[in-house]
Amino acid sequence: LEQPPAPVNTTPSRLSIALDGWWAFLPAQAPASQLPSQGWGLARVPGYWTAPGEALDAAGKPLGNRWLGNPVTDYRLAYYQRTFTPPTDWKGKPIFLAFEGVDGLAQILLNGQPLAWLLGWEYESYDVADRLRWGETNTLTVVLHTRGDSPRAGLYGSVSLRAMPDSFTDHLTVQPLVDSRRVRFSCDLWHGGAAGSAALRFIVTPRGSGGVEKHFLQDLPLDPADRSRLAFSTQCRRVEATFDWPEAHLWNLDDPY
């Protein structure tokens, strides 16, 4: 099932297309050695195929609580599948396939080749630049195993394809250290080029204001990512920087802003 991908969260240096929507969907009682070409229904992503209105049977009707005459609880796994064509002008960029969460245990395949296993309730993205078929249709398959006897299963998070710069940060956290009048920043850092150095700049802007309250600068080395493993979490490194901020305007009930 191919649908036009929708642009999301696009910036001059980061491009992203959503792979959400209706995916081809096939419940199964056991893993299949070969998937059929017919008999598929549809399931919404993000969504739970076990939830009302989130899946359609092969006739295009709401799934309800039965598939092919059997209770849906008899099916311990389900196949999700869709196709997409990556933009050709993305070739040469770092490309990541991002999953924002599944309820169950997911095996991910790209063009029929195993890519990764994703545990339930985890966010992960995968380095797929060398595995995409440029200028062609690509097939993404997720084999979702249900979680024990749980009556719920699905791809509850968005799925997207992302073109990133040669060096970037992600998953920023900010920790105010009120007692010591300091602030701590941490983020994931990914670098696809040769070893070098860089500076991270953290800018704090008051809510509702176009001005800058404070900016902080941290020098750091750039180490090339180990791209022998595909998961972003295994390629990046976590960096942390703590700065003094004695004049910070602290929040309280009388002065919340």
Side-chain angles (χ1 to χ4, degrees), residues 23-45:
W23 289 41
F25 163 77
L26 183 68
Q29 294 175 325
S33 58
Q34 184 172 354
L35 295 177
S37 59
Q38 298 181 339
W40 292 68
L42 297 173
R44 195 191 304 273
V45 176

Side-chain angles (χ1 to χ4, degrees), residues 25-231:
F25 163 77
L26 183 68
Q29 294 175 325
S33 58
Q34 184 172 354
L35 295 177
S37 59
Q38 298 181 339
W40 292 68
L42 297 173
R44 195 191 304 273
V45 176
Y48 281 81
W49 71 268
T50 52
E54 296 293 294
L56 306 176
D57 64 18
K61 298 179 180 179
L63 181 58
N65 59 3
R66 304 186 77 83
W67 176 271
L68 298 180
N70 300 314
V72 295
T73 53
D74 288 353
Y75 297 89
R76 307 313 301 162
L77 60 91
Y79 290 87
Y80 284 77
Q81 191 172 88
R82 68 158 292 161
T83 58
F84 65 93
T85 302
T88 54
D89 58 355
W90 285 17
K91 191 173 182 179
K93 300 178 182 291
I95 309 295
F96 288 87
L97 180 64
F99 285 79
E100 296 185 10
V102 302
D103 190 346
L105 174 63
Q107 183 185 18
I108 304 167
L109 301 96
L110 181 60
N111 296 320
Q113 299 301 310
L115 186 69
W117 286 88
L118 179 61
L119 299 177
W121 312 107
E122 292 193 0
Y123 175 101
E124 187 60 273
S125 56
Y126 303 96
D127 184 355
V128 295
D130 294 336
R131 295 178 175 238
L132 292 172
R133 295 174 179 170
W134 296 100
E136 301 179 29
T137 297
N138 290 250
T139 301
L140 177 59
T141 306
V142 178
V143 188
L144 184 66
H145 299 256
T146 59
R147 182 168 43 89
D149 294 328
S150 173
R152 294 170 59 82
L155 278 63
Y156 69 81
S158 290
V159 181
S160 61
L161 190 69
R162 301 175 180 179
M164 306 298 286
D166 290 335
S167 302
F168 64 91
T169 61
D170 207 354
H171 305 132
L172 172 68
T173 62
V174 181
Q175 180 184 5
L177 305 173
V178 176
D179 291 342
S180 59
R181 308 292 286 191
R182 309 179 85 195
V183 61
R184 177 174 295 146
F185 300 92
S186 61
C187 61
D188 292 332
L189 174 64
W190 189 93
H191 176 59
S197 61
L200 279 178
R201 185 182 301 272
F202 303 95
I203 301 174
V204 181
T205 302
R207 177 181 294 180
S209 169
V212 175
E213 175 74 19
K214 190 78 171 178
H215 70 265
F216 304 94
L217 193 66
Q218 176 70 44
D219 294 324
L220 76 166
L222 286 178
D223 299 320
D226 177 6
R227 303 180 73 175
S228 62
R229 294 177 292 179
L230 299 181

